[in-house]
Amino acid sequence: MGGNQNKKLKCCLAVVVIISVIAAVAVGAVVWKLTKDAYASSTGTKALASGNGSVDGQVESTTSSTQQPTRRTYTAEEIKEKPWLSTRLPRDVIPVHYDVTLFPNFYDGFGEFSGNSTIEVNVTSPTRYILLHVHTTYMNVTGTHVTDNTTGDEIDVIRTFYHTPHEFFVIQVGRDVMGFVKLTLQFQGTLNKTLVGFYKSSYLNTLNGQTRNLAASKFEPTYARRAFPCFDEPNIKAEFTITLIHRPEYIALSNMPQVGNESVKEFNLNAKVRHRYKDSP
């Protein structure tokens, strides 16, 4: 009798151990599956645009009121139809030369700037969309004109809009353009205090105890889009001509030598000077 009971007890214990192991494995599998799905849902599939403008599968975040953010992959055809869906600028519109005028109003309690930019671009394949970078938190484009450099004719601008997820300013024109085109843009913005982009700062003059204001810039790696509309990617280079407007008691410096100055009556100040600098290499 005692031997039979021991055998039954051992069998029961073996069954309990086996059930416990199976339950642990099942729970582990469920947890792994849920974790994997949640991770895939939050990260999505990532791919980069190649250097020649083709797209291997850009991704975009989408959300709804009842779902967690997911990632969507766009096809090359979708990117061609709506180029702002790509995280990179198209490579069929290349800047050749910028002529940028900036007026930073950092005096007294002000912290703003305005300006205009004329950008000559080379359009290498027919398109109706021209994309630039603009960071709308710090700057807005207030005027847009597109001109055919060959004929001098103005090209109709159908609409402009911001695509904020990728910090794009999109210009849609009324016909396919190709060749050299001139973009003329007016803009206004805020001098931030984050020490990047175009910002306002101050220092103490220890000789008289006065606080002096200044405006400065830091454009690397992608902060130029906070100061003026531009193709703000490191491998899209162009020449620059910079003009700065300011009060005559201040000093203006750029990264090229000054080539001239004159008094001006623009931008709503009584006394101002305009300093122009040599073209950058």
Side-chain angles (χ1 to χ4, degrees):
M1 290 290 291
N4 291 335
Q5 289 180 347
N6 290 336
K7 288 181 181 180
K8 291 182 179 179
L9 180 60
K10 289 180 180 179
C11 290
C12 291
L13 290 175
V15 170
V16 170
V17 170
I18 292 172
I19 293 174
S20 300
V21 171
I22 293 174
V25 171
V27 170
V30 171
V31 171
W32 175 82
K33 176 64 176 174
L34 293 176
T35 304
K36 179 183 177 183
D37 291 346
Y39 179 78
S41 175
S42 64
T43 59
T45 303
K46 296 183 179 180
L48 295 176
S50 61
N52 62 6
S54 63
V55 178
D56 299 323
Q58 297 294 337
V59 294
E60 179 73 3
S61 296
T62 58
T63 58
S64 70
S65 59
T66 60
Q67 295 179 340
Q68 294 295 323
T70 59
R71 304 286 282 179
R72 175 177 171 194
T73 301
Y74 291 102
T75 65
E77 289 73 19
E78 289 176 305
I79 295 293
K80 185 176 181 180
E81 184 72 19
K82 298 179 179 180
W84 54 89
L85 297 178
S86 171
T87 58
R88 301 289 298 276
L89 288 172
R91 290 304 188 270
D92 56 0
V93 180
I94 302 298
V96 177
H97 186 271
Y98 292 82
D99 197 334
V100 179
T101 297
L102 290 172
F103 167 55
N105 186 7
F106 56 91
Y107 314 104
D108 305 319
F110 293 98
E112 58 197 25
F113 66 91
S114 53
N116 55 72
S117 178
T118 300
I119 311 172
E120 183 181 3
V121 299
N122 183 17
V123 184
T124 58
S125 61
T127 183
R128 296 194 178 195
Y129 295 104
I130 299 175
L131 277 64
L132 302 90
H133 282 115
V134 170
H135 197 306
T136 55
T137 301
Y138 303 97
M139 181 182 60
N140 286 311
V141 178
T142 58
T144 306
H145 301 275
V146 181
T147 308
D148 188 322
N149 265 17
T150 303
T151 63
D153 295 335
E154 187 159 344
I155 301 170
D156 289 338
V157 176
I158 302 301
R159 62 168 178 157
T160 61
F161 61 93
Y162 301 100
H163 183 67
T164 53
H166 299 153
E167 299 177 355
F168 287 153
F169 178 69
V170 183
I171 304 171
Q172 180 182 355
V173 295
R175 62 174 175 84
D176 283 348
V177 295
M178 188 171 176
F180 289 95
V181 175
K182 185 179 293 183
L183 312 176
T184 304
L185 306 167
Q186 292 81 41
F187 51 90
Q188 296 178 336
T190 301
L191 292 168
N192 67 79
K193 296 184 179 180
T194 60
L195 303 184
V196 296
F198 202 20
Y199 62 92
K200 179 178 179 178
S201 187
S202 62
Y203 67 93
L204 179 66
N205 185 336
T206 56
L207 296 179
N208 56 23
Q210 293 181 350
T211 298
R212 296 293 300 271
N213 295 318
L214 61 91
S217 65
K218 179 185 183 300
F219 292 161
E220 292 180 329
T222 57
Y223 298 132
R225 66 190 69 178
R226 303 183 182 208
F228 55 92
C230 58
F231 298 77
D232 196 15
E233 292 185 12
N235 64 343
I236 307 180
K237 302 294 186 182
E239 295 179 352
F240 276 78
T241 301
I242 300 295
T243 301
L244 299 175
I245 296 177
H246 60 94
R247 286 181 178 175
E249 67 267 25
Y250 280 78
I251 297 172
L253 300 174
S254 187
N255 60 348
M256 295 298 291
Q258 180 182 320
V259 293
N261 66 83
E262 58 182 337
S263 298
V264 293
K265 296 181 179 179
E266 303 174 62
F267 297 105
N268 204 24
L269 274 182
N270 292 328
K272 296 172 299 300
V273 293
R274 176 194 286 121
H275 282 157
R276 190 175 179 86
Y277 301 86
K278 289 183 65 175
D279 291 355
S280 67

